[in-house]
């Protein structure tokens, strides 16, 4: 069963990102949005990037741009409208906020 994880908080401000990483399964997808975009600069991001291929990592481009965050190549850029489609392709959705 696949899960879509919407990460809205920075790991610099809460432990939601660490908790999310501890429950990720190989079929899951992650979307960094809002202040969750700051997680691209957090040391925990390295452990998530190692799972590329088994976990789909996405970031909302406009949210990263608004925070002046450079998007790395291991992460897919998407638009907010793409999140709707992702909710239909996963069995459940968890919002980390």
């Amino acid at each position: 069963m696949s899960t879509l994880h919407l990460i809205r908080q920075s790991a610099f401000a809460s432990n939601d990102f660490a908790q999310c990483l501890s429950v990720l399964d190989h079929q899951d997808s992650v979307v960094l949005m809002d202040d969750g975009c700051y997680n691209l600069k957090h040391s925990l991001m390295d452990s998530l990037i190692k799972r590329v291929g088994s976990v789909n990592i996405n970031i909302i481009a406009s949210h990263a741009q608004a925070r002046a965050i450079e998007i790395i190549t291991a992460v897919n850029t998407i638009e907010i409208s793409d999140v709707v489609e992702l909710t239909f392709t996963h069995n459940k959705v968890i919002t980390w906020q």
Side-chain angles (χ1 to χ4, degrees), residues 3-10 14 16-17 19-21 23-24 28-37 39 48 56 58-60 63 78-88 90 92-97:
T3 303
L4 175 63
H5 298 270
L6 304 176
I7 302 174
R8 300 185 66 206
Q9 291 271 339
S10 167
S14 76
D16 289 350
F17 189 50
Q19 289 177 351
C20 174
L21 294 179
V23 299
L24 277 178
D28 292 353
S29 294
V30 170
V31 176
L32 302 175
M33 59 193 314
D34 300 327
D35 285 349
C37 295
N39 293 326
L48 180 57
N56 184 21
N58 307 282
I59 190 166
I60 298 177
H63 291 196
I78 63 172
E79 300 302 320
I80 192 74
S81 59
D82 297 324
V83 176
V84 175
E85 184 177 331
L86 286 171
T87 62
F88 289 114
H90 290 79
K92 60 183 176 175
V93 178
I94 299 174
T95 302
W96 300 89
Q97 58 181 357

